[in-house]
Amino acid sequence: MDDDTSGTGTRPDTTDRPNKPAARHAPHRPQALARLLNHHALEDRGHDNIVRIGHADRAWSDLYHHALTMRWTTFFWSSLVLYIAINAGFALLYMAVPGQVTGTRPGAFWDFFFFSIQTLSTVGYGVMAPIGPAAHAITSCELLGGMILNAVATGLVFARFARPKARILFSDRALMRVEDGTTHLGVRIANRRLSPILSVGVEMFLARLIVQPNGRLARRFDPLPLAQSHVPVLRFAFPLLHVIDDASPLAGLTIAALRAEEAEIIITVTGTDEISGQTVFARNAYGFDRVLYNHRFVDIIDAAPDGRITVDYTRFHATEDNA
């Protein structure tokens, strides 16, 4: 890959690299591509950057998925608002049939509200109870709904806690350096759990917006083969390395050309958690503004005086000049 100057680091000199194809410089950016600034194949931390027209995301048609993927704070407050709304609705129904719930004061909303809470949760302290046919009919409906709601809420909370997460740490930046006359593109990953991840498979791709001959845009994914794409056991940190040779999709591309095509490096990781036996996934993306040149990662694994291995995660993202 041919490099030009950038503020992100020192760029390696590639003028004497043997058997290097001619550099492909940045093409003229058409108007359609110029409007797609900061467009990425993967959204950042769950914030989607795509506006979908003609494809409405209706929460009620996929309620379970939305309940699993929303933030915990949103899930908690949404559940609380729904819980209050249901009990308030039933309280108004009980108020509409006065004299049919014992232990309540006429027109006292909060008495009926807390009676609804006791009924919905099937607690029933015995102080307030239905005595009329209309109140019995309302409590029967509320008890049925309460059992269903409690079962759904329990399942959702359990599913959110039990949802498998890889807990894989990616380095803040990707690094590019020249070593023994060959350019390498490297990223570091680490397992943040005490238990290892087994049979880890890693894939790296170059994603670009390509202008087709007819002027239309197309997202293109070119595989970037890794020196080792399968890791039997991931316990600590592991470097991912792609060699930029003549067969690499990055061969001959300048940084200006990659930025003009909104290019980014996409990494996907799949493995099996040893404790739960579940398949876990992780992914990350690096724009070329997050690439450091002529740098390498600082070592984080060392041997303690007592013979044990020490892993210093405080230096996980640290880099140094590839001098």
Side-chain angles (χ1 to χ4, degrees), residues 164-168 268-271 279-283:
K165 293 184 179 180
R167 299 287 293 171
I168 290 179
T268 60
V269 181
T270 307
T279 301
V280 292
F281 306 90
R283 48 85 172 170

Side-chain angles (χ1 to χ4, degrees), residues 34-117:
R35 292 196 301 264
L36 293 175
L37 294 176
N38 300 321
H39 175 78
H40 303 289
L42 290 178
E43 69 275 12
D44 184 19
R45 297 183 181 179
H47 298 290
D48 203 346
N49 56 6
I50 299 175
V51 178
R52 294 170 174 85
I53 300 175
H55 180 69
D57 185 17
R58 296 180 177 88
W60 291 109
S61 63
D62 201 2
L63 184 60
Y64 182 74
H65 174 77
H66 282 274
L68 285 183
T69 55
M70 67 175 59
R71 298 178 181 272
W72 271 106
T73 53
T74 306
F75 179 79
F76 172 78
W77 290 112
S78 300
S79 301
L80 181 61
V81 170
L82 179 62
Y83 183 74
I84 293 175
I86 291 175
N87 286 288
F90 276 104
L92 294 176
L93 290 178
Y94 292 126
M95 291 180 65
V97 288
Q100 296 199 21
V101 178
T102 62
T104 58
R105 294 165 294 177
F109 171 80
W110 292 111
D111 288 352
F112 294 102
F113 180 81
F114 290 116
F115 172 69
S116 174
I117 290 179

Side-chain angles (χ1 to χ4, degrees), residues 5-25:
T5 58
S6 172
T8 57
T10 302
R11 310 292 290 279
D13 185 8
T14 60
T15 55
D16 58 348
R17 189 174 304 160
N19 301 324
K20 193 67 180 175
R24 290 173 283 170
H25 298 285

Side-chain angles (χ1 to χ4, degrees), residues 212-226:
Q212 298 177 324
N214 58 6
R216 296 180 179 271
L217 297 177
R219 173 64 69 176
R220 178 174 172 180
F221 296 90
D222 295 312
L224 300 176
L226 296 172

